[in-house]
Amino acid sequence: MLTRIALPKYLSVILGTFLVLLTMTCAWAQPAPASAPAPAVAVSGPPAADVRFMDRPITTFRASLSGATPQQRADRTFAVLDGLPESILVLPTVMVHASMGETRGVVFRRGDRILFALLEGDVDAADNRPFDVVANEVQAQLDTALAARQAQLHWPNIVRGVLFSLLATVILAALVWLVGRLQTRLQTRIQYAVEAHVLRRTSKTFDWTGSAFQLARQIVQLLFLFFVAALIYIYLIYVLERFPVSQPMGDRLSGFLWALINTFALGVVNAIPGLIAVIVIFLLTRALQNLINNVFAAIRQRHLNVPGMHPDTADASRRIVTIVVWALALTFAYPYFPGAQSDVFKGLSVLLGLMVSLGSAGIVNQLMSGIVVTYSRAFQAGDMVQIGETAGVVVSVDTLSVKLTNVRQEEVTIPNAVVVGAIVHNFSSRDGKAPALVVTSVTIGYDTPWRQVQAMLCLAAARTSKVAQTPAPFVLQRALSDFYIEYDLHVAPVNPAQRLIMLSELHSNIVDVFNEYGVQIMSPHFEEQPETQLVIPREGWAPEPAAPNGKPDPVAGA
């Protein structure tokens, strides 16, 4: 299993960390530099020097004494403290007031060893406390550092610290091993849950099993690393506090951890009112959205009549109103989001605004054109239309484009901006009215009686199965040209979506009828005047299939 293979790796990491800690502990036990220069308060004079011993602050020297600068005094003090034998360390610290001319201060000693002198000039000018209070505080800090030195020289303390550190190492290894086992089980459970509740419902059309498992594995690994890092951090705090020389560093790590937890807790508490406001705004917006959905559903189902609203534009209106409502809700809720006033949120807002400004000009144009297309109600899904040079059945009217299916079953996508700028012909009936008529033209010479031509065209329309007989087909003589008469046959298709197929069948029937009655479909052209006049005598004005009254004979050609 994964945990058995990875366990030695965890142990090696932990043991390596422990050895590093021991090395650092031994290094910290060696004499360290006495001080680091501190910024001087006064503009002139030598810089101040801090006195630290056993990684613990004692005092800060700011004044010179007998020609020795503060840094020299600090170095001498550290050398004296570091050279104290254990017999002196067990003695109490004595503070003796002394003066050298105009220089006054106190001298700290243990037994016959003078440790250092604290002068009145060493007190910070911004410190308004009496000198005796400052001296007592320095004495307490000196006793703490010397007590740590005494404990560090007492070998049972070192042995006890090492034993506790070893015990903590074993506990850390056990906890890491337990977390590793839990990692494997948690990863297995998450993968099972994803497969049981998500993949079985969605993987029928798209197999994203590998991606889902990889995502679950990475999430579990991140959680594992977080818990291991937290355990190691707590382990370091515990081990460092077991040794007097490293106890200050452990205290600093512990203080940082508690400060971090305190900051996080305060952030959570301070974010609660804002989160409550965001939840209230979300709930109110959702309730308003439900009301909007019900209103537009009633309009779409014609249960509610609102002036200016049409059932076929109800869905588009609902989407627009919903977007506006949620945009306003997000605007109202934004100041209450945790961290909304931080520089990260402000930078993200500027970035999103810049992206929208630079990249959405074309999208906004298409969106506004889509609104125009929707509310112009020029067509709807299922209509047979012609947009510019493209004819087909409307499949969908989307936010950015219109999709058509032509007679070749090709899906044509037309951007909304192109639709707005083009002339749209809708051949489908709207609101139960009569469908749009389809027109086809023929040109026949003047030597053919017009009544016969009209009768033959109407007969061809009657023989076409995809031509509706209500309203009845009719013929108009559109123009009397130089060489022929232009006839327009107007018919109503049974199904506007099959308009081209109907025209093909109608043209075939027209050719058959004209051939059947011996009329040539050819537009005559000539270069000189014929010898005889091309006129039709009265007795030849209504040849078959025309009736004497100029209407087609319903039984002709049957």
Side-chain angles (χ1 to χ4, degrees):
M1 295 178 63
L2 176 62
T3 52
R4 295 180 181 177
I5 297 176
L7 180 57
K9 181 179 179 182
Y10 298 152
L11 289 177
S12 62
V13 172
I14 296 171
L15 292 177
T17 305
F18 177 71
L19 293 176
V20 171
L21 289 175
L22 289 180
T23 305
M24 295 173 64
T25 303
C26 295
W28 288 332
Q30 301 297 325
S35 60
V41 177
V43 177
S44 60
D50 292 334
V51 179
R52 298 182 65 87
F53 187 68
M54 296 295 292
D55 198 21
R56 291 166 174 81
I58 297 178
T59 186
T60 300
F61 291 152
R62 294 179 174 85
S64 300
L65 178 62
S66 300
T69 62
Q71 184 62 46
Q72 293 173 343
R73 292 174 59 197
D75 295 339
R76 293 174 183 175
T77 299
F78 179 81
V80 171
L81 296 178
D82 187 58
L84 292 177
E86 190 172 358
S87 60
I88 299 296
L89 294 175
V90 298
L91 298 177
T93 301
V94 179
M95 182 174 59
V96 180
H97 290 271
S99 62
M100 297 179 59
E102 297 181 355
T103 304
R104 296 181 180 182
V106 295
V107 176
F108 298 96
R109 66 182 179 84
R110 281 198 173 191
D112 58 350
R113 297 289 183 95
I114 296 177
L115 305 180
F116 62 91
L118 179 67
L119 307 179
E120 292 181 349
D122 293 329
V123 181
D124 190 358
D127 193 349
N128 297 324
R129 296 178 298 171
F131 179 73
D132 291 340
V133 175
V134 176
N136 292 330
E137 180 182 352
V138 172
Q139 182 181 0
Q141 295 175 349
L142 175 62
D143 290 340
T144 302
L146 294 178
R149 175 66 170 178
Q150 181 183 0
Q152 182 68 22
L153 295 177
H154 190 56
W155 66 267
N157 294 332
I158 303 300
V159 174
R160 183 171 54 252
V162 172
L163 293 178
F164 279 114
S165 298
L166 291 175
L167 179 61
T169 303
V170 173
I171 296 175
L172 176 64
L175 291 177
V176 171
W177 176 81
L178 179 61
V179 171
R181 293 293 301 270
L182 293 177
Q183 174 196 6
T184 304
R185 292 187 178 183
L186 180 61
Q187 181 175 329
T188 303
R189 288 183 177 272
I190 291 179
Q191 290 181 355
Y192 175 77
V194 170
E195 183 177 0
H197 300 287
V198 179
L199 298 181
R200 292 180 181 178
R201 301 178 182 178
T202 60
S203 60
K204 296 179 181 179
T205 57
F206 174 70
D207 186 10
W208 54 290
T209 307
S211 301
F213 287 169
Q214 183 67 20
L215 178 61
R217 186 181 301 109
Q218 291 181 355
I219 292 175
V220 174
Q221 289 178 353
L222 288 177
L223 292 176
F224 169 75
L225 292 177
F226 173 78
F227 280 111
V228 170
L231 290 175
I232 293 178
Y233 192 89
I234 297 174
Y235 165 79
L236 289 176
I237 294 176
Y238 179 81
V239 171
L240 292 175
E241 289 182 347
R242 301 284 71 78
F243 301 94
V245 69
S246 61
Q247 183 179 357
M249 178 173 289
D251 294 339
R252 288 194 292 271
L253 291 179
S254 178
F256 172 78
L257 178 61
W258 286 111
L260 183 63
I261 294 175
N262 183 52
T263 303
F264 180 77
L266 290 178
V268 171
V269 172
N270 294 331
I272 289 177
L275 291 176
I276 294 176
V278 171
I279 292 174
V280 171
I281 294 175
F282 173 78
L283 294 178
L284 292 177
T285 305
R286 190 166 184 180
L288 182 59
Q289 181 188 0
N290 292 333
L291 176 61
I292 293 172
N293 292 339
N294 294 333
V295 171
F296 282 102
I299 295 176
R300 185 180 67 254
Q301 298 171 2
R302 303 181 186 273
H303 297 161
L304 179 64
N305 186 15
V306 178
M309 285 290 180
H310 302 278
D312 51 353
T313 60
D315 287 336
S317 301
R318 178 185 58 80
R319 289 193 293 267
I320 294 174
V321 174
T322 300
I323 292 174
V324 172
V325 168
W326 279 105
L328 292 177
L330 182 61
T331 303
F332 294 152
Y334 177 81
Y336 300 102
F337 280 108
Q341 305 303 324
S342 63
D343 294 337
V344 176
F345 266 73
K346 294 178 182 178
L348 182 61
S349 301
V350 173
L351 177 62
L352 292 177
L354 183 62
M355 292 174 59
V356 171
S357 299
L358 296 179
S360 64
I363 297 178
V364 171
N365 182 24
Q366 299 296 337
L367 289 175
M368 299 305 296
S369 300
I371 294 175
V372 173
V373 170
T374 300
Y375 285 95
S376 64
R377 303 176 63 218
F379 49 81
Q380 60 185 0
D383 288 354
M384 178 66 186
V385 299
Q386 180 174 348
I387 303 175
E389 299 296 329
T390 305
V393 179
V394 178
V395 177
S396 63
V397 182
D398 299 327
T399 305
L400 301 178
S401 62
V402 175
K403 295 186 183 324
L404 304 179
T405 301
N406 58 18
V407 69
R408 297 184 296 273
Q409 297 302 312
E410 299 173 344
E411 185 177 276
V412 182
T413 301
I414 305 176
N416 286 331
V418 176
V419 177
V420 171
I423 298 177
V424 179
H425 299 272
N426 193 337
F427 304 110
S428 301
S429 60
R430 302 297 299 274
D431 299 330
K433 297 180 180 179
L437 300 180
V438 179
V439 180
T440 185
S441 301
V442 293
T443 55
I444 305 299
Y446 288 96
D447 56 342
T448 303
W450 63 267
R451 295 177 180 85
Q452 184 184 20
V453 175
Q454 288 190 359
M456 288 189 296
L457 291 175
C458 291
L459 179 59
R463 292 180 179 180
T464 304
S465 61
K466 290 181 172 54
V467 172
Q469 301 305 314
T470 303
F474 61 92
V475 179
L476 297 178
Q477 296 174 201
R478 184 161 55 89
L480 300 177
S481 300
D482 293 339
F483 310 110
Y484 46 77
I485 301 175
E486 298 182 18
Y487 299 91
D488 285 348
L489 173 61
H490 296 72
V491 296
V494 174
N495 185 1
Q498 298 180 346
R499 173 173 171 269
L500 297 180
I501 299 176
M502 180 210 68
L503 280 175
S504 176
E505 182 182 356
L506 178 61
H507 291 161
S508 300
N509 290 329
I510 290 175
V511 173
D512 290 343
V513 170
F514 274 66
N515 289 332
E516 182 180 342
Y517 289 96
V519 177
Q520 178 177 269
I521 304 178
M522 180 179 293
S523 302
H525 291 264
F526 53 87
E527 296 180 357
E528 60 182 10
Q529 188 67 24
E531 297 180 358
T532 59
Q533 293 183 346
L534 298 178
V535 296
I536 302 173
R538 179 178 292 274
E539 59 273 11
W541 282 2
E544 292 184 353
N549 56 3
K551 296 182 180 180
D553 189 354
V555 297

